[in-house]
Amino acid sequence: MIRDITIGQYYPVDSPIHRLDPRVKLSATMLYLVSLFVFSGYLGYVLAIAFVAVCVKLSRVPFRYIVRGLKPVLMLLIITLLFNIFLTKQGTELASFWIFHIYDEGLITAALMGLRLVLLVIGSSLMTFTTTPNQLTDGLEKGLRGLKVIHVPVHEIAMMMSIALRFIPILVEETDKIMKAQQARGADFESGKLLQRVKALIPLLVPLIVSAFRRASDLAMAMEARCYHGGEGRTKMKPLHYKKLDYVGYLVLAGYLGLVIGSSFVPFLK
Amino acid sequence: MKKNMLRTENLVFEYIRRDEEGNVESINKALDDVSLEVSRGEFVAILGHNGSGKSTAAKHMNALLSPTEGNVFVNEMNTKDEALLWEIRKSAGMVFQNPDNQIIASVVEEDVAFGPENIGIPTKDIWKRVEDSLEAVGMTAYRTHSPNRLSGGQKQRVAIAGIMAMRPDCIVLDEPTAMLDPAGRKEVLRTLHELNKNEGVTILLITHYMDEVIDADRVIVMDSGKAVMQGTPREVFSQVKRLKEYRLEVPQVTELAYELKQAGVPLPDGILTVDEFTQAYLQAKNKCYYDV
Ligand SMILES: Nc1ncnc2c1ncn2[C@@H]1O[C@H](COP(=O)(O)OP(=O)(O)OP(=O)(O)O)[C@@H](O)[C@H]1O
Ligand SMILES: [Mg+2]
């Protein structure tokens, strides 16, 4: 059962967004997130919402999945809203009780801030919905290739990421096994004060770490035996090549950015 | 000319433990003057009790370890020659015990492609090799699966496909079935024999299980770092008493035949299968009948 968990939340359907090169999606997500924090004016919001809405529609990921992605940040969202509502002291006062005062400006900033946050989460989760972790690491490796010039070990980092992705489910399962084994001998992970609980984790962590090291050394040997010697001279089974769709993707992205930047200079819409 | 696939010449290997200052604390002679030969296309099994040096020997065949004394040749290439390292690893692939710890990618076909990618095979040929190797081990149907959802035997077959994709002349397997259930063990063994027969790959199989070696061309028995017995399975298993000295069990039928013989039933030495046993036993019984 546990082995079935997948890292991330890939939603396997065929769509233009799924077919995009991971590099396009990575840069689009990055730029989109940046754009969320630099634009000003209502037109900017309209554009940002429209852009992500079109992408969601194209991706064929059901809307409820996207909404579910907001759950983990719900707390953060509420806190942001409350802070903005109660700490903004501008505009006309709408209501007040005890030490709390609510101003109209506060409500507006809170709403806009919340909207930005929601867009941010939707934007980034859309990428993980449409890109497998493997594609992501491949995209990172190829997209950041240029950083090798300044001695960033891009290939090694990507290799580490993909190995981590492969071994996380295995280690999770192993944790579960060790936990059950220790519980069978009377270990108690659930009750007691914080300090006691932390102490109870030691008999769990020690074997886990030992086994992780053993796996790592086995794996290193297996990789060496299969002629692994770094990224030098390595070819790929599935190399990344830009296709027509990817250029269209870049164009659309550029168009969106152009509009967002342009909208900031339109004074009457502010 | 018959060329040797693998050859060791008076191979000695010592694990040396050093303390913090680099002084030698203890020396453990894991291999002691081992001279072996494996010819091309042979299926050879190595047997031995725990700690007899089987894994250490296997790691020499892939240049993962370098001899303390003596030489190891793979395809007549000396493993001490660093310039030949990748050639050696290409011609002698290695499969390990734990299937989980040797699968690198999260998709079966990408894992099989790992070796060819490392040796710089062009993309188009990688696909061909991946297809061929998955076909050869009968795992084509699982090519897009995650290795985590495969059974142990299937995982080990994927690992073997990963080696096959490098088109090796020889595969060294270090207890590939130790962590598998009986069905998985059979599956892997069948795959190995098929590869040996159909693709002509030389197989060096290290195992604890006696019943896995009876179909081998030759068996080598190791004990405390030495190769102590060599011969066909029948020759080796005829010497039940000697095997017991090396703390090895013989296959159950062989043991039964041996015990019966000790008790006076006229049976031949080195019975390996149940069929052989029943035949020999019936013969012996008839003989007894007429003798009386
Ligand atoms: N990394 C190591 N460092 C020190 N000594 C080692 C190391 N690996 C193995 N040895 C020792 O070398 C000897 C041979 O070990 P080896 O692993 O080759 O045996 P084996 O026949 O494969 O045993 P098993 O059936 O348990 O796998 C043993 O005495 C072992 O303790
Ligand atoms: Mg061993």
Side-chain angles (χ1 to χ4, degrees), chain A residues 113-130:
Chain A
M113 209 51 213
L115 188 60
R116 276 183 203 220
L117 256 178
V118 169
L119 288 176
L120 185 139
V121 174
I122 293 182
S124 44
S125 58
L126 187 63
M127 181 175 73
T128 52
F129 273 125
T130 58

Side-chain angles (χ1 to χ4, degrees), chain A residues 166 215 226 234-235 237, chain B residues 101 103 111 117-118 121:
Chain A
R166 152 120 180 82
R215 279 182 196 283
R226 284 166 80 181
R234 213 165 174 270
T235 45
M237 182 195 194
Chain B
N101 297 356
I103 294 182
D111 185 73
E117 284 180 341
N118 287 335
I121 305 296

Side-chain angles (χ1 to χ4, degrees), chain B residues 89-145:
Chain B
R89 290 194 180 154
K90 255 194 278 182
S91 38
M94 179 131 184
V95 175
F96 299 87
Q97 182 174 31
N98 187 332
D100 272 330
N101 297 356
Q102 53 188 321
I103 294 182
I104 289 112
S106 320
V107 182
V108 167
E109 60 177 12
E110 285 175 20
D111 185 73
V112 176
F114 182 74
E117 284 180 341
N118 287 335
I119 52 180
I121 305 296
T123 300
K124 207 174 88 237
D125 299 341
I126 295 182
W127 282 86
K128 174 95 178 73
R129 284 181 178 215
V130 168
E131 259 153 46
D132 291 351
S133 333
L134 283 173
E135 181 78 42
V137 301
M139 287 294 290
T140 310
Y142 297 90
R143 60 180 303 164
T144 55
H145 285 225

Side-chain angles (χ1 to χ4, degrees), chain B residues 13-17 26-31 46-59 65 97 174-175 206-208 222 224-225:
Chain B
F13 186 81
E14 290 167 344
Y15 285 106
I16 300 174
R17 261 251 292 282
S26 65
I27 295 183
N28 185 352
K29 211 172 215 180
L31 292 175
I46 298 188
L47 287 174
H49 193 69
N50 289 89
S52 55
K54 299 174 301 258
S55 301
T56 311
K59 283 175 196 158
L65 290 177
Q97 182 174 31
D174 189 0
E175 302 193 37
I206 294 170
T207 180
H208 262 129
M222 292 196 61
S224 18

Side-chain angles (χ1 to χ4, degrees), chain B residues 214-261:
Chain B
I214 50 179
D215 293 324
D217 296 328
R218 200 148 56 86
V219 179
I220 298 169
V221 178
M222 292 196 61
D223 187 59
S224 18
K226 290 193 168 70
V228 288
M229 283 168 88
Q230 275 199 53
T232 61
R234 200 174 301 280
E235 284 162 11
V236 169
F237 287 131
S238 322
Q239 309 178 42
V240 178
K241 216 171 130 222
R242 212 166 141 207
L243 283 174
K244 291 205 166 169
E245 274 165 32
Y246 301 131
R247 290 164 293 172
L248 289 175
E249 295 289 319
V250 293
Q252 276 177 345
V253 256
T254 314
E255 169 113 49
L256 178 62
Y258 173 77
E259 293 294 337
L260 284 172
K261 196 177 167 196

